[in-house]
Amino acid sequence: MEIVNYFKAKTVEEAYKKLQEDPSNLIIGGGAWLRLSSKTVNTAIDLEYVGLNQIKETENSIEIDAYVTLREVEKNEALSNLFSGIVNKGISGIMGVALRNLVTVGGSVVGKYSFSDFITPLLAVNTEVVLYKAGRMSLEDFLKLRTKEKDILLKIIIQKEEVLGYYYKMKKTGLDFAVVNVGVTNTLGHLKIVVGARPSLAAFAVKAMDYVNNQETVTDEVIEETANIAINELKFSTNSKASKEYRIELAKVYIRRGLKEVTK
Ligand SMILES: Cc1cc2nc3c(=O)[nH]c(=O)nc-3n(C[C@H](O)[C@H](O)[C@H](O)COP(=O)(O)OP(=O)(O)OC[C@H]3O[C@@H](n4cnc5c(N)ncnc54)[C@H](O)[C@@H]3O)c2cc1C
């Protein structure tokens, strides 16, 4: 990537204005993913001085600013005590500490990376995003959003609900990307199943969730059927990491394990 100008914004307004000035202008988070690209950027806009670097715990939620690094989120104690620690666990499986000290929440959410070990657990709990222009919306809606309008992610908000969680990243080697990743949660009896790196972006297994949430008890047979519905409704495919068939088998195993774990 070639950056022609580097702009350290002092306010979000200033950053937003600069972002609109040229189609190639962009916000830079940790820059770790951007630097792999070959594009030329007129102005890279740095958010270091705009004050988006806090993790705030309120009575009902954890609010994490966009410029916070994944390492800070991973180490956050309040978050590690919620949802069986699946958000922290997801992050801890990403490369090494050096990278996690650099990469940001903003870059990791806005990038909508299909392999993301951050988005899958966030989707399995109750997460919203707050954008400067588009405002507040669920993470699910944000992931589906297809717009050319350039915006700035200000923060994510995670509701502090009573959740039992499970997260598993299947990878071939310690530092690798996920072959498939699975998040399963139980919020006071309501089950959610998320599968990412299929290799497409994390998504809910909606039909499987409908089925399992309408059963009186979650028996082994129900778990088996739920996993079957999930792998049939979600789209899996082949890439250099794994075949479609292998991913389907893995997803089935981890969905089963997740359901067992959060319902035992
Ligand atoms: C070698 C390598 C291996 C990796 N392995 C994994 C892995 O196994 N699992 C995993 O989950 N992730 C992995 N990642 C991704 C990493 O965790 C980050 O998600 C990624 O680097 C983006 O974060 P960043 O801060 O570097 O964003 P940047 O590269 O700075 O930006 C990424 C995108 O987000 C935009 N952006 C950044 N902040 C904002 C904002 N506040 N508002 C609007 N737009 C914004 C940028 O304009 C750009 O388009 C890996 C990354 C690298 C480089």
Side-chain angles (χ1 to χ4, degrees):
M1 182 177 64
E2 195 190 326
I3 296 174
V4 181
N5 303 292
Y6 200 83
F7 180 71
K8 281 193 172 271
K10 288 187 197 67
T11 62
V12 181
E13 292 78 3
E14 209 178 59
Y16 183 78
K17 202 164 155 251
K18 184 62 80 181
L19 186 61
Q20 310 306 323
E21 278 176 12
D22 184 290
S24 76
N25 288 2
L26 50 72
I27 302 290
I28 188 158
W33 197 258
L34 277 175
R35 76 176 287 281
L36 303 176
S37 117
S38 55
K39 58 183 160 190
T40 299
V41 174
N42 185 358
T43 305
I45 303 154
D46 187 321
L47 300 179
E48 185 180 1
Y49 298 137
V50 305
L52 292 179
N53 48 14
Q54 300 291 319
I55 300 181
K56 195 168 101 193
E57 186 180 2
T58 70
E59 197 187 332
N60 301 317
S61 65
I62 309 263
E63 302 193 2
I64 310 173
D65 287 342
Y67 204 70
V68 170
T69 66
L70 289 192
R71 180 67 176 157
E72 289 170 83
V73 182
E74 179 188 0
K75 287 192 304 183
N76 186 268
E77 214 179 307
L79 199 56
S80 68
N81 291 325
L82 289 164
F83 329 126
S84 316
I86 59 169
V87 176
N88 313 63
K89 186 179 175 195
I91 296 171
S92 69
I94 300 173
M95 286 288 285
V97 171
L99 185 94
R100 305 202 293 273
N101 264 327
L102 182 70
V103 298
T104 58
V105 166
S108 302
V109 172
V110 175
K112 300 185 183 177
Y113 306 112
S114 57
F115 52 77
S116 178
D117 301 299
F118 189 43
I119 288 177
T120 297
L122 282 184
L123 204 52
V125 298
N126 188 348
T127 305
E128 292 165 295
V129 302
V130 181
L131 295 144
Y132 179 66
K133 271 292 152 192
R136 185 168 172 167
M137 67 185 85
S138 69
L139 174 63
E140 184 186 11
D141 286 346
F142 175 69
L143 294 178
K144 288 180 189 155
L145 203 63
R146 298 280 171 267
T147 170
K148 287 208 159 55
E149 294 240 338
K150 291 201 276 181
D151 209 337
I152 300 176
L153 180 80
L154 302 181
K155 62 180 165 184
I156 62 170
I157 301 175
I158 310 174
Q159 294 305 320
K160 280 161 81 179
E161 294 171 333
E162 222 173 284
V163 176
L164 286 173
Y166 167 93
Y167 178 74
Y168 194 81
K169 170 187 190 176
M170 168 61 195
K171 52 186 172 179
K172 288 183 176 164
T173 60
L175 302 181
D176 209 351
F177 292 99
V179 168
V180 80
N181 61 33
V182 174
V184 181
T185 52
N186 181 349
T187 311
L188 300 173
H190 182 80
L191 296 163
K192 287 188 199 169
I193 302 164
V194 181
V195 186
R198 294 169 284 112
S200 40
L201 183 58
F204 287 114
V206 178
K207 290 181 186 163
M209 282 160 49
D210 270 357
Y211 168 76
V212 72
N213 285 314
N214 280 307
Q215 304 303 310
E216 292 222 328
T217 46
V218 184
T219 60
D220 284 353
E221 292 71 32
V222 168
I223 286 177
E224 187 66 29
E225 181 60 11
T226 308
N228 280 332
I229 298 171
I231 55 156
N232 282 311
E233 70 173 296
L234 292 168
K235 188 172 169 281
F236 292 85
S237 36
T238 300
N239 68 359
S240 60
K241 293 256 165 268
S243 69
K244 171 181 172 176
E245 293 73 20
Y246 184 48
R247 284 198 161 92
I248 289 174
E249 285 309 312
L250 290 174
K252 200 171 156 181
V253 169
Y254 297 119
I255 291 168
R256 275 200 308 243
R257 286 188 193 169
L259 287 168
K260 278 192 183 151
E261 174 93 15
V262 302
T263 56
K264 69 186 176 197

